[in-house]
Amino acid sequence: MTREPNAELTRELRTLDAAHLLHPFTDHAALAAKGVRVIARAEGIWIWDTEGHRILDGMSGLWCVNAGYGRRELAQAAYQQMLELPFYNTFFQTTTEPPVRLAQRLTALAPPVRGQPFTHVFFTSSGSEANDTNVRLVRRYWDLLGQPQRKVIISRCNAYHGSTVAAASLGGMSGMHEQGDLPIPGIVHIQQPYYWGLREPGETPEAFGLRAARWLEDKILEIGPQRVAAFIAEPVQGAGGVIIPPPTYWPEVQRIVQRYGILLISDEVICAFGRLGHWFAYEKFGIQPDLVTFAKAVTSGYVPLGGVLVHERVARVLVEGGEFTHGYTYSGHPVACAVALANLDLMQREALPERVRHDTGPYLAERWATLADHPLVGVTESCGFVAGLVLTRDKATLAPFPDAWEVGLLCRQHCFDSGVVMRAVGQRMIIAPPLTMTRADINTMIERIVRALDATWADLQQRHGL
Ligand code: PXG
């Protein structure tokens, strides 16, 4: 792939892309009219497109390239494993070395819960498949315990747990449910703990956090505790817009799941592997999950891999319970697992979670908070290396702009033009940068975001006379 701007290549790929490639979550007519951006290469925290733009990747690809781009040792691990043994399965009384080593490694990294370790791992190729696995796992668990009526899984509105039929059902995105008769039976949703959107007048974040957690208890009692199998949640909702719950939320949720004996699934597809300053996010929030979903940064996104970490409470029952009729061709793919091992080595060597926890995370929080001074910005929030802000026309009331103005998308465009990738979720702008960022990189990122906010502001004034 070329390193110089290449108009001809850009044109050719745009045409072929529009003709043949179906993109995720995309209005294809609108995309073809705008023209897709072709990303050609990347190094460190930077990506380059075929038009020669160098852009700071404030989203780590798609919340996954935690170790940054261009890490030779990850390519080397894949190359060596492909030469040695590109594929063999883990089905019929066989195994290979990388998934065994990785399962051991992940269970050792995960802090114990209730004094017991996470003992086992089930590998998949994505977060969606991992959450599908969770649906089957929790139902199997309760069946084996002689409580087959425990089928219902409670999730939350605006959650994202993936795009397969079961994972999209677990998710709480109404737009996804509308297409395809979702959710499937046995999956119900409560409201999300979004203080800025759901608070009552005068309510403190602490009081709101308790109220939001108790929606879970209300739902359990409504369904009947003996019918509830599990509660699934992202510690911090990612795709929903970086929704960071008040500090009172998780301890109360923990009390509730414990009280009714239901399983807790912590979906850490975004939040694990240093993103919030810990290897696993449940550690940060002091929660005690029975199952932990992971994907994305387990390989820093270099190759697809996901899975479920299974706590002793569940693993014991499953292992003694006979055959669990579930599995994928690529459960424990040796190349993916070899890359994951190299990635964990790298993250450990460079102490990336600790760096985020003690150094660059607090620095990002400090710099991110300065964006609240901008006339367009209502609230800023961050947690480790995820952060979000609310675009508003009125800083006091947080009143939104009319949807038709598409302010989030406008701001996203100005971010690109200012050389930084941010994601728009409605009128929230969010980032999840690579964990390798230095303080100087954070300054560069913030400068570019300010430039983009200024340009958005000027644009809105011009278009709508603000
Ligand atoms: N759980 C969570 C918490 C996720 O964030 C998945 C499961 C599904 O993982 P796979 O590997 O099947 O995609 C995710 C994925 C976005 C965006 O626009 C977020 C995700 C995926 C695609 C886009 O923010 N998260």
Side-chain angles (χ1 to χ4, degrees):
M1 189 64 79
T2 175
R3 296 189 159 230
E4 298 304 319
N6 186 333
E8 202 180 320
L9 178 68
T10 307
R11 243 189 332 270
E12 183 196 358
L13 290 176
R14 275 197 184 143
T15 307
L16 291 174
D17 182 279
H20 302 297
L21 190 63
L22 288 174
H23 291 251
F25 291 86
T26 293
D27 173 340
H28 287 84
L31 179 67
K34 281 189 209 153
V36 72
R37 182 183 298 271
V38 183
I39 305 302
R41 70 185 178 97
E43 185 66 37
I45 61 169
W46 298 96
I47 55 174
W48 282 261
D49 68 14
T50 50
E51 295 174 290
H53 299 112
R54 175 179 178 258
I55 308 161
L56 191 157
D57 186 4
M59 277 306 296
S60 306
L62 204 48
W63 317 84
C64 51
V65 187
N66 285 18
Y69 298 98
R71 308 305 298 249
R72 298 283 179 280
E73 53 268 63
L74 302 194
Q76 201 64 42
Y79 178 71
Q80 271 162 6
Q81 187 60 45
M82 281 188 190
L83 289 179
E84 184 79 17
L85 180 68
F87 177 74
Y88 205 77
N89 70 69
T90 53
F91 275 63
F92 308 117
Q93 213 188 325
T94 53
T95 197
T96 67
E97 185 168 356
V100 174
R101 298 261 178 236
L102 183 59
Q104 188 274 329
R105 184 82 170 266
L106 289 170
T107 56
L109 267 180
V113 157
R114 297 180 294 269
Q116 296 286 347
F118 283 81
T119 55
H120 289 71
V121 181
F122 190 95
F123 287 114
T124 68
S125 298
S126 69
S128 301
E129 289 174 3
N131 279 328
D132 267 42
T133 300
N134 277 328
V135 172
R136 301 207 56 207
L137 254 176
V138 299
R139 290 181 175 170
R140 173 81 178 149
Y141 170 80
W142 289 115
D143 276 352
L144 286 168
L145 287 184
Q147 299 187 51
Q149 80 289 350
R150 278 206 194 244
K151 287 274 190 300
V152 179
I153 301 176
I154 302 175
S155 180
R156 302 181 298 178
C157 297
N158 204 33
Y160 189 76
H161 295 298
S163 268
T164 55
V165 169
S169 296
L170 290 173
M173 302 279 180
S174 52
M176 293 176 77
H177 290 173
E178 280 158 22
Q179 297 181 7
D181 292 333
L182 304 179
I184 55 173
I187 295 173
V188 299
H189 298 81
I190 57 171
Q191 259 303 347
Q192 60 176 342
Y194 184 37
Y195 176 70
W196 301 109
L198 297 169
R199 69 196 188 287
E200 303 282 2
E203 192 175 31
T204 62
E206 288 71 20
F208 172 78
L210 288 176
R211 188 162 66 87
R214 287 175 192 154
W215 293 328
L216 174 61
E217 190 155 29
D218 294 345
K219 185 57 87 178
I220 293 171
L221 294 172
E222 178 193 319
I223 298 165
Q226 72 292 349
R227 291 184 55 225
V228 180
F231 176 59
I232 182 168
E234 303 155 79
V236 168
Q237 285 182 320
V242 179
I243 308 299
I244 304 166
T248 47
Y249 181 75
W250 274 116
E252 183 66 2
V253 166
Q254 180 59 46
R255 177 192 73 74
I256 293 166
V257 292
Q258 213 153 311
R259 168 153 192 210
Y260 298 100
I262 69 178
L263 296 173
L264 176 61
I265 308 169
S266 185
D267 182 344
E268 305 205 1
V269 166
I270 285 176
C271 294
F273 304 111
R275 177 60 57 202
L276 303 188
H278 295 263
W279 285 101
F280 293 98
Y282 69 83
E283 196 184 345
K284 177 178 177 68
F285 291 102
I287 46 181
Q288 299 172 351
D290 303 288
L291 299 158
V292 177
T293 319
F294 63 89
K296 293 190 188 272
V298 66
T299 62
S300 281
Y302 279 53
V303 289
L305 181 67
V308 182
L309 257 166
V310 184
H311 187 257
E312 188 270 347
R313 170 186 175 186
V314 176
R316 181 173 15 103
V317 175
L318 200 72
V319 166
E320 289 169 7
E323 181 178 344
F324 175 41
T325 55
H326 179 76
Y328 307 103
T329 303
Y330 299 133
S331 289
H333 194 291
V335 176
C337 293
V339 172
L341 284 163
N343 179 56
L344 296 179
D345 283 345
L346 183 162
M347 290 183 79
Q348 254 167 341
R349 199 169 56 246
E350 298 182 4
L352 292 180
E354 290 77 9
R355 227 166 101 180
V356 167
R357 183 155 82 246
H358 298 300
D359 178 19
T360 49
Y363 187 67
L364 174 65
E366 191 185 311
R367 295 304 319 273
W368 187 258
T370 64
L371 296 174
D373 296 335
H374 196 278
L376 254 187
V377 177
V379 188
T380 57
E381 299 166 282
S382 74
C383 181
F385 255 37
V386 293
L389 59 81
V390 180
L391 299 174
T392 181
R393 62 192 309 179
D394 181 340
K395 288 166 92 76
T397 63
L398 297 184
F401 292 97
D403 286 343
W405 292 10
E406 297 195 322
V407 173
L409 295 183
L410 189 71
C411 185
R412 188 179 78 180
Q413 184 58 45
H414 284 298
C415 286
F416 266 125
D417 296 343
S418 304
V420 60
V421 177
M422 277 181 103
R423 168 120 158 57
V425 179
Q427 295 178 23
R428 284 179 71 84
M429 300 303 299
I430 59 180
I431 55 158
L435 312 188
T436 49
M437 271 199 166
T438 62
R439 288 175 173 235
D441 294 332
I442 291 171
N443 291 340
T444 305
M445 179 174 69
I446 297 288
E447 279 160 25
R448 287 174 182 227
I449 291 172
V450 169
R451 221 184 302 154
L453 289 168
D454 287 345
T456 309
W457 182 238
D459 206 342
L460 286 172
Q461 280 173 322
Q462 201 184 13
R463 287 181 198 215
H464 305 289
L466 278 187

